[in-house]
Amino acid sequence: MAPASPDGLRVIILGGGISGLTTALALTKYAPKGQVPKIDIFEIRPEPATIGGAVNLTPNALRMLDHLGALPIIRERDYGRTIDYLEVFDIYSGKLAESSFQGPEGKGIGNPPYKALRITRGDALKGVLEAVNRQENITMTCGKRTVSIDEKEDGVTLQFEDGGSASGELLMGCDGIHSVTRLKHVEPERQATYSGVANAFGFAPIDKDFKVHFECTAINFARRGMLLTSYHSSKGDSVYVGGLMQVPDVGSRDGWKSVGADADKTRGQLMERFGDAKIPCIKPLIEKAQDFFLWPVYTLSKHGKWSTNRVMLLGDAAHAMPPQGESTGIVFEDTVLFSRCLTKWLEKGRPGGNMREAFDAYEKLRKHRIEVAFEESKSVVSTVSDAGWLGHTIKTYVVPWYLWFTRSYREKHFIEDVTTVDIGY
């Protein structure tokens, strides 16, 4: 691919996770002709973090990854497993409902059609990272901790803990829920808060004769949480086991790390909540799962500041919310939509000196969608919170009705393509 152009923007991205990497790809793909940006990504970890659970990439997420050149790499490497439909179960009585990604002709949703893909965060990151490595204009440096951000009229300068610095015309804060960009510069008072639920997950190796109750992915509701069981590769020799459940706050990030490091205790919590399942494979899967982690789910307040004149927050740094089925796709759409707004500003000759016009256009397009998603995510917390017999029984009646009632609404989002939507300025 082409190197950075002399007239291209100088961009700094804080965060070498999937949000930061896809932002770099989008800014490169949608740059005006002859204005390929020079992009420097800085990651606080010593290397890109390839650990994590398994996520569901919905059709809109796959569409964005295809546009950005990462999906072909993921397909070539046979990462993940295609999902025709999600299955929903009550662990005490059996199957409740399905949520399909097959579309009217069985090929997927949208034009061109996409189904869904269950993939580990690590494999998704590897695919996107390879796409980034193929771009000459993008560099990534790991092990960089930012200690200060200084924004002036014509640019932004970062100072790092090791004494180094970096300067650019635009800073993208893609550094997650505990964003340094937000906390040191954009809106320091907007702190992440614990949602009351945590995700306990591991991976269970299985042999060919092991019988599961699902085709690819099962959402298993219980009185005290929800357990996700899913294949995550074409081989079918491993099942992702992830429990979303109500867990008391331990008070600090270090405290959560300590609690999360005790895999046997985490396994015990899952057995306590889901071990009485009438579905035969659930208890053995929990017993077989290895390398359990416990991750608290943090959120940000619904309304907040996303930008200054030359700094923009994207993804969880701007709008972290509980997982609600489309979270990863929302991040990918953020990156593409923002890049299109910025490109329009560049094509107009950078009016006004700073980037406020592009930022305002993006936020006007995006904030309503995020606020709707935020409201939807609240139901996740209530659905997985502890409930008595009556509350759980009501849930088993409500969930199938809700999936049926909201089907067309979900498919509308799966079809949406932010690469073509009118950006309005």
Side-chain angles (χ1 to χ4, degrees), residues 2 18 24 59 63 69 149 184 201 220 229 271 350 390 411:
I18 204 159
R63 186 173 295 110
I149 299 171
K184 287 189 177 292
F201 67 88
N220 308 285
T229 52
M271 289 298 291
R350 307 186 183 195
L390 179 60
E411 289 193 356

Side-chain angles (χ1 to χ4, degrees), residues 21 88 136 168 175 197 208 258 273 281 284 334 337 379 417:
L21 297 176
V88 181
E136 292 184 30
D175 44 350
V197 299
K208 291 181 180 179
S258 176
R273 292 167 181 270
C281 70
D334 279 359
L337 200 55
S379 66
D417 185 350

Side-chain angles (χ1 to χ4, degrees), residues 50 69-81 117 119 122-134 232-235:
T50 55
L71 185 59
I73 296 169
I74 289 170
R75 301 286 198 210
E76 288 165 12
R77 297 185 175 188
D78 196 25
Y79 289 154
R81 182 162 176 141
L117 186 74
I119 186 172
D123 283 348
L125 186 71
K126 290 174 190 174
V128 174
L129 189 58
E130 175 57 26
V132 166
N133 289 338
R134 296 179 185 182
H232 52 88
S233 73
S234 61
K235 296 176 182 177

Side-chain angles (χ1 to χ4, degrees), residues 51-91:
I51 62 168
V55 295
N56 181 28
L57 299 183
T58 49
N60 52 319
L62 295 179
R63 186 173 295 110
M64 293 303 101
L65 284 181
D66 211 353
H67 279 300
L68 298 177
L71 185 59
I73 296 169
I74 289 170
R75 301 286 198 210
E76 288 165 12
R77 297 185 175 188
D78 196 25
Y79 289 154
R81 182 162 176 141
T82 297
I83 304 176
D84 286 333
Y85 49 86
L86 294 171
E87 296 174 89
V88 181
F89 294 84
D90 168 29
I91 71 167

Side-chain angles (χ1 to χ4, degrees), residues 199-212:
N199 184 28
F201 67 88
F203 295 88
I206 59 171
D207 57 41
K208 291 181 180 179
D209 297 328
F210 188 87
K211 302 294 184 185
V212 299

